[in-house]
Amino acid sequence: GGGDDDEDEVPIYVTEFETLMSKELADTIAKTNKIKLSNASKLLKKAYDNIFELIKRISTCKKPGPQELMGFLKPASGAIQDIDTLSVRGKSKKDYKKYADHYKSMKEVITICAWVTVAPPAGLPKTHVESQLGAADFNLNRVLKNCKDDDSKAWVRSCKALNKAVFEYVKLNFKKGIDWNPKGAVLSNDAKAAGGGGGSGKAAPKDAPNDDKKEDKKVGNKKEKKTGDVGKLFG
């Protein structure tokens, strides 16, 4: 943080998530690219970039309604849908035969990002992450069983390290859910005004995506998913 101005204060949970992105996430992306799954690593990065944009706005925005939240999270939601498709059929039959377990693992790793949509009484973010850890481990262990090469082993280790880091992060900062600012701005308005990653965090990643801004404008007339169960909004 630094500065006397409240707006200059960067909450610790923002800098901690940025550290996670520069360490565990960056390592997982590099290892995913090394096993030639750059299509999956791009989806992973897209989801995390979008989640980071949301995290930077927690201290300056009031709690969004389900539709408003999903409008903002459209890039992450799209990444989860795209990896879900890959987990069922891959890019081709040959691709799927080789990488089926990798894609299924990545589906669970990326779906962890849905923790930001989980709130009491429907559930707790920590519980969502915990259940995803188990699902990811199941598939990652299948990769280890079938792929004995060093790059695959390193990839599995990096995915598990990322998942564990997210679990510790959520447990430490959002154990009972996200604590929005009751006097804050409206999230969707903030998203349009914030060009390129303003919000409450000074340190947006250099390559923060702009697609969420573009997609936000479209989401207004679209009815996305029903918003009854917050935990299911992503899937």
Side-chain angles (χ1 to χ4, degrees):
D4 303 315
D5 217 317
D6 276 355
E7 290 193 20
D8 287 342
E9 288 292 334
V10 180
I12 187 73
Y13 57 77
V14 172
T15 51
E16 282 180 359
F17 196 78
E18 188 177 29
T19 301
L20 183 153
M21 288 177 70
S22 65
K23 289 184 177 176
E24 287 88 357
L25 177 66
D27 187 51
T28 302
I29 288 170
K31 300 283 197 302
T32 308
N33 289 338
K34 196 160 187 194
I35 57 169
K36 299 185 168 52
L37 280 179
S38 62
N39 53 341
S41 74
K42 282 173 189 163
L43 295 175
L44 179 65
K45 185 175 187 317
K46 185 180 179 184
Y48 269 83
D49 281 346
N50 189 204
I51 295 305
F52 187 43
E53 289 302 313
L54 184 80
I55 288 168
K56 287 190 292 183
R57 290 170 170 80
I58 291 170
S59 66
T60 57
C61 290
K62 63 180 76 171
K63 184 178 180 180
Q67 234 178 335
E68 192 186 343
L69 181 62
M70 286 316 296
F72 191 93
L73 291 174
K74 218 172 169 214
S77 176
I80 289 172
Q81 286 163 13
D82 289 348
I83 195 65
D84 187 48
T85 302
L86 285 169
S87 77
V88 176
R89 56 174 177 264
K91 290 188 295 183
S92 64
K93 281 186 181 176
K94 189 180 173 186
D95 177 66
Y96 190 66
K97 190 176 179 185
K98 185 175 181 181
Y99 290 118
D101 290 331
H102 295 73
Y103 285 135
K104 286 172 186 171
S105 301
M106 282 301 274
K107 176 192 167 185
E108 306 303 344
V109 171
I110 295 175
T111 304
I112 282 177
C113 288
W115 68 264
V116 294
T117 69
V118 183
L124 292 170
K126 180 176 82 86
T127 312
H128 168 79
V129 176
E130 212 163 11
S131 70
Q132 284 303 126
L133 288 185
D137 278 354
F138 174 80
N139 289 290
L140 288 165
N141 290 337
R142 283 175 64 97
V143 173
L144 279 183
K145 187 179 165 191
N146 299 320
C147 303
K148 304 296 183 188
D149 61 288
D150 289 344
D151 287 346
S152 289
K153 289 177 187 173
W155 176 74
V156 167
R157 280 195 302 272
S158 71
C159 287
K160 289 189 176 195
L162 172 62
N163 293 348
K164 188 181 175 192
V166 174
F167 177 70
E168 294 300 331
Y169 171 81
V170 171
K171 188 171 75 169
L172 185 67
N173 295 290
F174 302 106
K175 197 171 183 179
K176 295 181 179 175
I178 292 175
D179 195 11
W180 297 90
N181 179 353
K183 295 177 181 173
V186 175
L187 179 66
S188 54
N189 292 349
D190 181 78
K192 284 168 190 162
S200 62
K202 285 193 273 188
K206 291 179 196 132
D207 40 8
N210 289 321
D211 354 13
D212 51 337
K213 262 67 94 191
K214 280 185 235 151
E215 310 232 42
D216 274 344
K217 288 174 187 164
K218 292 184 217 157
V219 84
N221 324 332
K222 268 186 166 182
K223 287 188 181 158
E224 284 299 307
K225 303 207 171 191
K226 301 250 168 150
T227 52
D229 179 354
V230 203
K232 290 179 184 163
L233 282 171
F234 267 90

